[in-house]
Amino acid sequence: VRAKLGLPLLLVLAACASAPKPVDPPLLKAALEAESDGAKRYQRGDLMVAERRFADAMRRFASIDDASGSARNRLHLVRVKLAQGQVDAALELLDGMPPALARDLDVLLLRGQALLAADRAIDAERALELAAGRCGADCAAAASLEILRGRASLRRGEAAAARAHAERGLALLRERDEPHELGNAWRLLAAARLAAGDVTALAAAQAALDIDRRLALPEKIARDWLLLGDIHRRFTPGQPPGGNDARLAYARALEVAEAAGLKEISLIASQALQAIGM
Amino acid sequence: VRVLNKTEEDLKHLGQTLEAANQRLPAMLDRTSQVLDHVEKITAEAETSVPPVLRDGSAVAADVREIVGGAKQAWPIRNLVDAPGPATLKADSDPRGEAGRAR
């Protein structure tokens, strides 16, 4: 009996005697929780709530003078704004980065991405060149950098350079778990091959579509269908231009865009269908 | 006889009570009706001024977050729940798939 009572007592005494676990201050904990919740929402595609949570986290970190936490959440917010297509807001947030962090690799990459989205290809290339200077041998963002530089090349009409960047990006992504970037690299390769008049663009666009469908990303799926329509239109002979394949691809783009409430893509798909006489 | 007298008194008393209730009943019914009208008005106003999503999903989500957040702050749970680390978002250099169709 003594042994039976002694053991729990010993455990209780040991627990009391052990050093107390360090606990994060409540305000820091609340900021980290807002950030973590925002990240979960972002991954789920719930961008409006993600935006609110990151803005909340940014404010909370600022209130406890945690500059790095505040800057990190500012960059999360930039990603949300870019995903929402709010380029000006993204650039404004980037302009508000502390000067000491303005030349960080992540900041330069996001700036390049935002400038590309704003159709400012020359400024984008400048930011991406600076980013390349900060992306060393084991740079985790090397594939993203290749994709962005490839997009900038494509904007300049340099299909061969864009293709080379896309292929390097794909090679870098081979062993990595970055499905979004993998889809982006295939899409870029498809666009570069189309611009170069290479019929293998079709296989690359199909690969991008397969990945984006697996990830269930409506906007990318719709744009992949648009690209497939363009490729058929270019390479498939017949009447209407691109034959039945182009018509079907544009119609799928329209269907997905309408179901997802993507007005801009719906309009583009409708215009593409009109252009081939549908 | 005594029992009958008592019963008669009781009946008289009951009659008086019923009469009093009868006099007050219309006023009480009016008041009940006013209260019901008021409740109905508030409900109708809420119906038009509060979007349905807010009434359902967001309100519930906010409540749940508040409850869970409150619980996490309360001793001894706050000592058991670790704060999450800084978040890292998955890389996506083309979140809208714009590379396919350069503007």
Side-chain angles (χ1 to χ4, degrees):
Chain A
V1 175
R2 200 178 294 167
K4 273 184 188 170
L5 284 172
L7 188 62
L9 192 66
L10 199 68
L11 285 172
V12 169
L13 284 172
C16 292
S18 64
K21 199 172 77 173
V23 176
D24 285 321
L27 289 181
L28 172 61
K29 213 167 168 181
L32 285 165
E33 274 166 3
E35 179 179 0
S36 167
D37 191 38
K40 281 180 208 151
R41 307 287 184 158
Y42 177 81
Q43 295 306 144
R44 277 186 228 152
D46 189 356
L47 297 177
M48 274 170 71
V49 180
E51 181 188 353
R52 279 207 299 274
R53 301 300 280 152
F54 287 142
D56 182 34
M58 190 169 86
R59 188 181 47 76
R60 285 175 186 272
F61 278 113
S63 78
I64 53 173
D65 202 20
D66 186 332
S68 86
S70 179
R72 191 175 60 245
N73 279 277
R74 181 178 284 270
L75 290 186
H76 294 335
L77 262 180
V78 171
R79 287 181 208 277
V80 173
K81 292 288 180 191
L82 287 172
Q84 289 172 325
Q86 296 177 21
V87 182
D88 291 340
L91 283 168
E92 205 173 299
L93 281 163
L94 285 167
D95 288 341
M97 282 300 285
L101 300 173
R103 295 290 169 110
D104 269 17
L105 177 60
D106 280 348
V107 178
L108 289 167
L109 281 174
L110 284 171
R111 185 174 287 282
Q113 189 178 326
L115 290 166
L116 269 175
D119 248 344
R120 290 166 55 186
I122 295 169
D123 293 335
E125 279 193 276
R126 207 169 297 143
L128 293 172
E129 250 170 56
L130 285 172
R134 277 162 177 71
C135 197
D138 293 328
C139 178
S144 301
L145 181 60
E146 290 291 352
I147 295 167
L148 287 167
R149 295 184 88 182
R151 286 179 60 194
S153 299
L154 198 60
R155 286 284 171 88
R156 242 191 357 251
E158 294 175 4
R163 186 180 179 150
H165 280 300
E167 282 169 351
R168 277 201 293 274
L170 278 172
L172 286 164
L173 289 164
R174 203 163 291 149
E175 300 296 322
R176 299 179 71 98
D177 177 29
E178 290 183 34
H180 292 76
E181 286 299 58
L182 196 60
N184 294 337
W186 279 115
R187 193 179 315 103
L188 172 64
L189 185 61
R193 284 178 178 172
L194 173 63
D198 182 347
V199 73
T200 59
L202 190 63
Q206 193 63 55
L209 176 65
D210 289 346
I211 292 168
D212 293 335
R213 279 163 102 177
R214 264 206 309 278
L215 295 172
L217 302 168
E219 193 164 8
K220 290 190 180 190
I221 294 169
R223 287 193 198 269
D224 290 339
W225 276 116
L226 282 179
L227 179 59
L228 278 163
D230 291 349
I231 295 167
H232 282 301
R233 200 170 155 188
R234 173 86 184 267
F235 298 112
T236 310
Q239 201 54 249
N244 211 28
D245 291 336
R247 183 184 64 79
L248 285 174
Y250 289 142
R252 288 295 287 275
L254 181 62
E255 198 181 328
V256 172
E258 282 188 343
L262 302 164
K263 287 182 186 157
E264 187 193 339
I265 303 180
S266 294
L267 184 67
I268 296 171
S270 302
Q271 286 169 345
L273 281 167
Q274 274 174 10
I276 59 168
M278 292 289 119
Chain B
V1 175
R2 207 185 304 155
V3 172
L4 279 173
N5 282 342
K6 179 88 175 81
T7 309
E8 197 177 357
E9 267 176 38
D10 285 351
L11 280 172
K12 267 185 194 166
H13 190 68
L14 180 65
Q16 281 166 357
T17 308
L18 281 174
E19 203 172 330
N22 216 18
Q23 279 168 357
R24 291 179 64 186
L25 198 60
M28 278 167 69
L29 283 173
D30 274 355
R31 180 126 184 82
T32 310
S33 171
Q34 277 172 6
V35 169
L36 283 174
D37 281 351
H38 198 56
V39 169
E40 206 171 333
K41 198 175 160 200
I42 290 169
T43 314
E45 276 173 8
E47 194 107 319
T48 51
S49 61
V50 183
V53 175
L54 210 68
R55 278 204 308 273
D56 306 322
S58 296
V60 172
D63 286 351
V64 169
R65 191 156 59 220
E66 204 169 307
I67 291 163
V68 173
K72 280 182 179 175
Q73 297 300 318
W75 184 90
I77 297 173
R78 69 165 178 243
N79 293 347
L80 302 173
V81 180
D82 286 331
T88 311
L89 304 187
K90 284 228 175 214
D92 189 353
S93 58
D94 187 11
R96 306 182 71 211
E98 290 171 323
R101 270 195 158 213
R103 279 185 271 180

